[in-house]
Amino acid sequence: MKLLKQVAIIFSICWVSEIVEQLLPFSFPASVIGMILLFVFLLSGGLKIAHIQEKSDFLLSNMAFFFIPAGVSVMNYFDVLKSSALPLLLVCVLTTVITFAATAGGVKLTLCLMQQKRKKK
């Protein structure tokens, strides 16, 4: 029964986010609205982590399974992707390098700020 309650909570938040998406005068993904709603509910204390812990752990541990349909759909457009393979590959490589550099810079900055904070104490 506990698992059913957790599924109901998660699906209710998804359902509400779909309604909010329809009501907005601009285009905004319902999935992002749902994450924002979940974050607000958790932050406000209206929803406790224990209320959705087991179902969330299950979804996170099986996340790769949910990407299979997207991967199969990409293969349907292989001919389109093949014609622009070089630009796509270039974008993937460049964005990966930029992401790594930004992450490394962020970690370095965080460590530096933490050391400065320790020196002040």
Side-chain angles (χ1 to χ4, degrees):
M1 195 65 173
K2 183 179 179 182
L3 194 60
L4 188 60
K5 182 181 174 185
Q6 292 180 12
V7 170
I9 291 170
I10 290 173
F11 280 132
S12 297
I13 291 172
C14 290
W15 181 66
V16 168
S17 68
E18 291 286 338
I19 292 171
V20 170
E21 178 194 27
Q22 296 298 319
L23 295 175
L24 288 176
F26 51 88
S27 180
F28 200 78
S31 57
V32 176
I33 296 169
M35 286 190 287
I36 292 169
L37 285 173
L38 183 60
F39 178 70
V40 168
F41 288 144
L42 288 169
L43 199 61
S44 69
L47 183 65
K48 303 285 186 226
I49 292 176
H51 293 149
I52 57 170
Q53 183 73 45
E54 290 176 38
K55 188 60 182 170
S56 299
D57 288 343
F58 171 78
L59 290 171
L60 285 172
S61 64
N62 294 295
M63 189 182 299
F65 176 74
F66 298 109
F67 286 99
I68 291 173
V72 171
S73 295
V74 166
M75 295 312 296
N76 288 334
Y77 299 100
F78 187 71
D79 55 331
V80 175
L81 294 174
K82 192 169 98 174
S83 66
S84 38
L86 187 60
L88 284 173
L89 185 62
L90 185 63
V91 166
C92 288
V93 169
L94 285 176
T95 56
T96 300
V97 170
I98 291 169
T99 302
F100 284 169
T103 302
V107 169
K108 194 172 184 178
L109 177 64
T110 302
L111 290 173
C112 181
L113 292 173
M114 289 172 64
Q115 287 176 353
Q116 286 179 357
K117 187 175 180 181
R118 285 186 197 142
K119 288 180 182 177
K120 287 182 181 180
K121 287 183 180 184

